[in-house]
Amino acid sequence: MPRPQQQLFETEPAPWEEDDQSRQLTASVVLAEGPAQEFDYLVPDNLRDSVEPGRRVKVPFGAGNRLVVGYCVGLEDRPVGRRKLKPLHSVLDEHSLLSPAMLRLTRWIAERYLCDWASVLEAVLPAGVRVAAGTRLSTLLSVDEAAVRWLTKAFPEQTPVAPGATTDRDPIAKLTPKQLEVLKVLLAAKEAMTSGELARAARCGPGPIAALRRKGLIRSHTGRIATFRPDEFQRASEQHLVLNQDQEQALRIILDAMNARRHQTILVHGVTGSGKTEVYIQAIQEVVHFGRQAIVLVPEISLTPQTVDRFRRRFGAVAVLHSHLSDAERHASWQRIVEGAATVVVGARSAIFAPTPNLGLIVLDEEHESSFKQETAPRYSARDVAIARAEAEGIPLILGSATPSLESWHRAKTGQYTLVEMPRRVMDRPLPAVGTIDLRAEKGRNLSSGALSRQMVAAMKAALDEGGQVILLLNRRGFSTHIQCPACGFVVRCPECDIALTHHRKEEIALCHYCDYEVPAPTACPSCQFIGIRYSGLGTQRLEAEVRARFPEVVSLRMDTDTMQAPGSHQRALAAFRSGKVRILLGTQMIAKGLDFPDVTLVGVINADTALHLPDFRAAERTFQLVTQVAGRTGRGPKGGRVLVQTFSPDHPAIRAAVRHDYAAFAAGELPIREMLCYPPFAAMIRLVIRGRSEPVALEFAKTIAERLAVSLQQHAADARVLGPAPCPFARLKGRYRFQIQVQGPDAGRLRSAVAAATADLQPPDDVQWIVDVDPVDML
């Protein structure tokens, strides 16, 4: 969290060394790496024209005046103090990389999420932008101002005279035809050129160019030229679709907010297949029509080629921002956005920081998705940052989901957001029928020993025989998730984590999914050498093997992070499924969202209980969301569709509500439980995690934090409670023991202030680390 501004002082000057000037230009600088505070530096005369807030600078730091990089976050003309400030060393950027509005937003994030301002600035500004990836320094040539006037007289059709250009005599007559041609080409160019570019354009060698430089008719300077050329924007090729009544109502509410030029957060709650995306697109079209830009955020997992292509076919000038871009691609997209060439930005979480100069609308689709919360510093929520940015810019924000987060639903129901309901699918297609398969009965009567129950196999066969396609969801990677010896009970675990290793059959390894530790898959018990070691549990690899064994004539495909690592693999897999070449698509949650395939007539949830019983207060909510979302992948075409959910808990309220597509019933049952236990949305929450290699040392430090928190909460009159310290659900990861402290209370502001005060000067023991997570999503 930013702390009070501190000056960097040198030794106090003698009276005769005092500057005669009464005022000085002072730059406030946040160091990219260093103490979490602002420092004041003197702006020397030679840098006055180049420094501004949002540019990076180099400054001397510490007793040794080591040069470090920082961000200029403010300029102020101040009276000269008694102590002399150190001067800025240099300015690194030709232009401001962060607008004043973005600087204000980053400071808000630092204060809201109790983190260093520098870490936010580094997160907002991609590495590719900081290093100007895809460019290189080169000598650039342009026509001297005096030569412009001479050439304009000789060739009046060329560029007009530069203001103030004068000359004593006209040297044009003394130039050779080739030199004259070089000047004409350079004069007609819209921007400076390298020597090679100029020689090719003028069809000459280096001689005429060198002669003109000696004559002073061509000037040179150092600048950056692009070495990476992004693909051209495609032309918009599709027209608007005709909206139904629900879509028209939703669009009208959004346009009313846009036309009133006011901020409004609009929650669009539409069932899967209700046409929410078309509403977004037509609202964006209105924004673009008035020369403004839009940002569309989607979860990384839903940022499929299908999603991106839909926007490109409608708008053409679409910039895409996601984690798989190279530095050069990201820098090129950044430049297009800054220049206004890209009218629509589509991206994952970090796209909320897109440098749009004329922002008119923000859309956050699948707003309930946990991936919108960053799990490394700065631990911001893209949804809450989008709300803050939209409020600051005075523009509407659209939150869309078939299964909104309970926080957003509660805010909409209490009038903080505008709620728009879209309860019907387009073309009045029915929602798919959802049935449950009680795995207790299947396993109890030994009706099935594999992943697929008898009912599921029969339904798959019927769907395939009728020409349909099948999607199977299992949210666990690997082949077997548990390796245990039945003789001595030994479990094959990761030595660095408190986690059982997962068997990956293709590589024949046992792998930890948290630290990537791996060993060869054992054929005998590592403890007692019993050869009958048992591989149990179910992952996507085992499901794939069973599907291929049961349906050998049908092409199937597995999609999970193990199979989708190669560039373009995601796009190729979906293209094969869309074309009908692949009939059965199985995988983890990446197949549950953002896909629209009209020939899918059966969706099977292999085990709906994988997340239901985790020690997380959102476990039921996430189960309901996942089942509902994957169910929405079917019934989108004229063939209709059905969903089968395999579960050991068919009577659980989340499962029952998902089967009925009844979000309101789920919320009505879950919210009173949250309120009773003082969980969000009825209270704010901050989670602290302490980790270290020594369990007693980490625990003792966690106790110290908890004691300080209790005192600070009392001092801030925060009606809150402190839970812990207690071991995290995953008590050891990557060789470090983990303890958690939860702070919960109704006043978020007082909670943050109390936690900030309690942790302001914490000095952890050696090899102990701690983090603060405001509004945590990951509770494991």
Side-chain angles (χ1 to χ4, degrees):
M1 179 177 179
R3 298 177 185 166
Q5 192 160 309
Q6 175 178 322
Q7 295 181 335
L8 266 185
F9 299 134
E10 294 182 339
T11 57
E12 186 173 347
W16 58 84
E17 293 176 328
E18 292 283 358
D19 196 331
D20 291 336
Q21 296 179 352
S22 60
R23 303 188 71 81
Q24 61 187 7
L25 186 61
T26 305
S28 298
V29 176
V30 173
L31 304 182
E33 294 182 1
Q37 57 198 62
E38 296 173 50
F39 296 97
D40 286 345
Y41 284 88
L42 175 68
V43 179
D45 290 341
N46 66 313
L47 296 181
R48 280 177 169 259
D49 293 336
S50 57
V51 68
E52 65 175 325
R55 294 198 198 190
R56 292 173 304 147
V57 294
K58 273 192 176 179
V59 295
F61 183 72
N65 287 329
R66 176 173 55 94
L67 290 180
V68 297
V69 175
Y71 292 84
C72 176
V73 296
L75 286 175
E76 187 177 352
D77 193 36
R78 299 179 185 170
V80 176
R82 289 184 54 80
R83 296 179 182 272
K84 192 174 181 181
L85 295 178
K86 293 181 180 182
L88 295 179
H89 175 271
S90 56
V91 179
L92 298 180
D93 304 310
E94 295 181 3
H95 307 285
S96 177
L97 301 180
L98 298 164
S99 68
M102 189 58 68
L103 284 174
R104 290 191 295 271
L105 182 66
T106 56
R107 183 159 204 160
W108 176 87
I109 292 171
E111 293 171 351
R112 168 68 181 264
Y113 294 101
L114 304 181
C115 57
D116 298 342
W117 195 358
S119 69
V120 183
L121 293 168
E122 292 279 283
V124 166
L125 205 59
V129 176
R130 294 198 297 268
V131 302
T135 68
R136 62 177 173 83
L137 285 173
S138 183
T139 299
L140 300 176
L141 307 178
S142 57
V143 180
D144 181 76
E145 288 185 358
V148 172
R149 181 166 183 172
W150 301 326
L151 284 168
T152 305
K153 287 181 179 179
F155 307 98
E157 73 278 4
Q158 299 290 352
T159 304
V161 179
T166 59
T167 180
D168 295 329
R169 55 193 180 85
D170 188 346
I172 294 297
K174 298 181 180 180
L175 298 181
T176 67
K178 186 55 70 176
Q179 291 172 346
L180 192 60
E181 180 63 22
V182 169
L183 283 179
K184 289 173 60 180
V185 169
L186 191 55
L187 184 67
K190 295 181 179 179
E191 55 189 19
M193 305 173 72
T194 65
S195 180
E197 290 171 338
L198 181 56
R200 286 191 295 273
R203 298 182 181 180
C204 70
I209 298 173
L212 290 169
R213 293 179 69 178
R214 287 195 299 271
K215 293 175 182 290
L217 299 179
I218 290 181
R219 294 183 302 173
S220 65
H221 67 279
T222 300
R224 289 198 168 270
I225 62 171
T227 57
F228 171 78
R229 300 290 182 184
D231 295 336
E232 294 293 325
F233 288 134
Q234 69 184 52
R235 289 181 176 274
S237 57
E238 286 188 359
Q239 300 298 316
H240 284 332
L241 303 179
V242 177
L243 301 183
N244 62 24
Q245 184 177 350
D246 293 342
Q247 290 173 309
E248 286 181 349
Q249 179 187 2
L251 181 60
R252 185 165 53 252
I253 292 172
I254 296 167
L255 294 183
D256 286 346
M258 288 167 48
N259 294 332
R261 295 186 175 274
R262 68 173 186 271
H263 167 68
Q264 190 175 338
T265 299
I266 301 166
L267 176 62
V268 178
H269 174 220
V271 298
T272 57
S274 60
K276 295 184 293 295
T277 303
E278 183 62 28
V279 174
Y280 309 154
I281 286 175
Q282 296 203 20
I284 293 169
Q285 184 64 56
E286 190 75 8
V287 169
V288 172
H289 177 72
F290 286 101
R292 306 190 75 181
Q293 295 166 291
I295 295 175
V296 182
L297 298 184
V298 298
E300 184 92 37
I301 201 170
S302 300
L303 195 57
T304 62
Q306 180 181 1
T307 302
V308 174
D309 287 346
R310 184 168 182 182
F311 282 93
R312 282 182 168 156
R313 289 196 303 269
R314 300 292 282 275
F315 298 104
V318 175
V320 181
L321 299 175
H322 57 77
S323 62
H324 299 297
L325 294 178
S326 68
D327 283 348
E329 289 172 326
R330 186 174 289 272
H331 183 218
S333 294
W334 184 274
Q335 286 300 119
R336 285 174 155 182
I337 296 166
V338 168
E339 295 163 1
T343 55
V344 180
V345 181
V346 179
R349 181 178 58 233
S350 62
I352 190 56
F353 303 119
T356 48
N358 301 301
L359 187 60
L361 179 68
I362 301 175
V363 177
L364 200 143
D365 194 25
E366 307 291 0
E367 67 86 29
H368 64 277
E369 264 292 317
S370 60
S371 62
F372 282 128
K373 180 71 158 64
Q374 179 151 304
E375 296 302 334
T376 57
R379 293 174 174 82
Y380 67 90
S381 162
R383 181 184 63 205
D384 293 338
V385 173
I387 293 170
R389 186 171 184 185
E391 284 180 349
E393 306 241 10
I395 61 174
L397 166 66
I398 304 173
L399 304 177
S401 178
T403 55
S405 65
L406 288 177
E407 290 88 342
S408 294
W409 179 256
H410 179 69
R411 290 170 189 163
K413 283 296 189 178
T414 55
Q416 298 174 63
Y417 300 166
T418 299
L419 178 62
V420 178
E421 296 275 13
M422 296 175 61
R424 290 174 288 273
R425 282 187 158 186
V426 294
M427 301 177 68
D428 287 324
R429 290 194 175 109
L431 287 165
V434 182
T436 56
I437 299 173
D438 190 342
L439 292 180
R440 296 172 300 183
E442 287 275 330
K443 304 300 181 184
R445 297 198 298 268
N446 292 320
L447 297 178
S448 174
S449 59
L452 302 172
S453 63
R454 289 192 312 165
Q455 290 174 261
M456 186 71 75
V457 172
M460 291 174 65
K461 186 177 185 305
L464 294 169
D465 288 345
E466 294 170 1
Q469 292 176 296
V470 177
I471 288 179
L472 300 177
L473 170 74
L474 176 62
N475 210 21
R476 279 185 178 169
R477 295 159 49 208
F479 193 87
S480 301
T481 57
H482 196 71
I483 309 172
Q484 185 173 21
C485 175
C488 70
F490 177 81
V491 176
V492 180
R493 291 183 174 273
C494 174
E496 296 293 307
C497 306
D498 189 23
I499 302 292
L501 298 184
T502 298
H503 177 217
H504 286 248
R505 191 175 188 178
K506 181 179 179 181
E507 303 84 359
E508 280 301 332
I509 59 172
L511 175 68
C512 175
H513 287 171
Y514 289 86
C515 73
D516 292 332
Y517 170 84
E518 65 177 67
V519 294
T523 56
C525 174
S527 178
C528 72
Q529 310 308 315
F530 177 66
I531 61 171
I533 192 165
R534 182 183 177 192
Y535 288 75
S536 59
L538 179 62
T540 49
Q541 285 187 358
R542 173 170 282 186
L543 175 61
E544 178 185 35
E546 183 174 343
V547 166
R548 289 183 173 175
R550 290 183 179 275
F551 300 94
E553 305 300 322
V554 179
V555 179
S556 61
L557 180 70
R558 172 166 58 96
M559 286 186 68
D560 55 27
T561 53
D562 296 320
T563 60
M564 296 292 111
Q565 294 180 352
S569 55
H570 199 274
Q571 186 170 0
R572 288 191 295 272
L574 295 181
F577 191 60
R578 177 172 292 281
S579 68
K581 179 180 178 181
V582 171
R583 302 283 305 285
I584 302 174
L585 182 67
L586 61 98
T588 55
Q589 62 176 341
M590 67 171 58
I591 68 172
K593 306 175 183 79
L595 305 181
D596 187 352
F597 298 110
D599 288 337
V600 173
T601 57
L602 175 67
V603 165
V605 179
I606 302 305
N607 187 349
D609 309 332
T610 51
L612 188 58
H613 304 297
L614 291 175
D616 183 343
F617 72 93
R618 292 190 179 94
E621 180 181 6
R622 287 177 177 156
T623 298
F624 172 83
Q625 289 167 344
L626 187 60
V627 173
T628 302
Q629 291 284 342
V630 73
R633 300 313 104 201
T634 188
R636 290 173 171 251
K639 296 179 180 178
R642 63 184 297 213
V643 182
L644 289 178
V645 179
Q646 297 185 161
T647 175
F648 287 97
S649 308
D651 296 324
H652 192 283
I655 301 292
R656 291 207 312 267
V659 165
R660 299 194 305 269
H661 303 282
D662 195 343
Y663 178 85
F666 169 74
E670 185 72 10
L671 283 172
I673 299 173
R674 298 276 186 93
E675 186 172 19
M676 179 179 65
L677 297 175
C678 198
Y679 278 117
F682 299 98
M685 178 186 290
I686 298 177
R687 182 177 186 240
L688 295 92
V689 177
I690 299 92
R691 56 180 183 261
R693 294 195 178 277
S694 169
E695 185 176 14
V697 173
L699 176 57
E700 193 60 35
F701 183 61
K703 290 178 178 178
T704 300
I705 295 178
E707 291 168 0
R708 294 178 59 147
L709 283 169
V711 172
S712 183
L713 288 166
Q714 188 174 9
Q715 291 173 343
H716 287 78
D719 179 19
R721 62 176 179 172
V722 177
L723 301 178
C728 295
F730 291 151
R732 191 161 68 102
L733 287 179
K734 300 181 180 180
R736 296 183 180 273
Y737 293 91
R738 305 168 72 243
F739 296 91
Q740 65 179 0
I741 301 170
Q742 282 179 209
V743 188
Q744 297 165 228
D747 190 323
R750 290 191 179 186
L751 213 61
R752 286 194 297 270
S753 297
V755 173
T759 58
D761 55 352
L762 268 180
Q763 295 296 327
D766 292 341
D767 206 33
V768 171
Q769 301 167 335
W770 62 279
I771 62 105
V772 176
D773 191 1
V774 177
D775 304 329
V777 170
D778 180 5
M779 302 300 295
L780 302 180

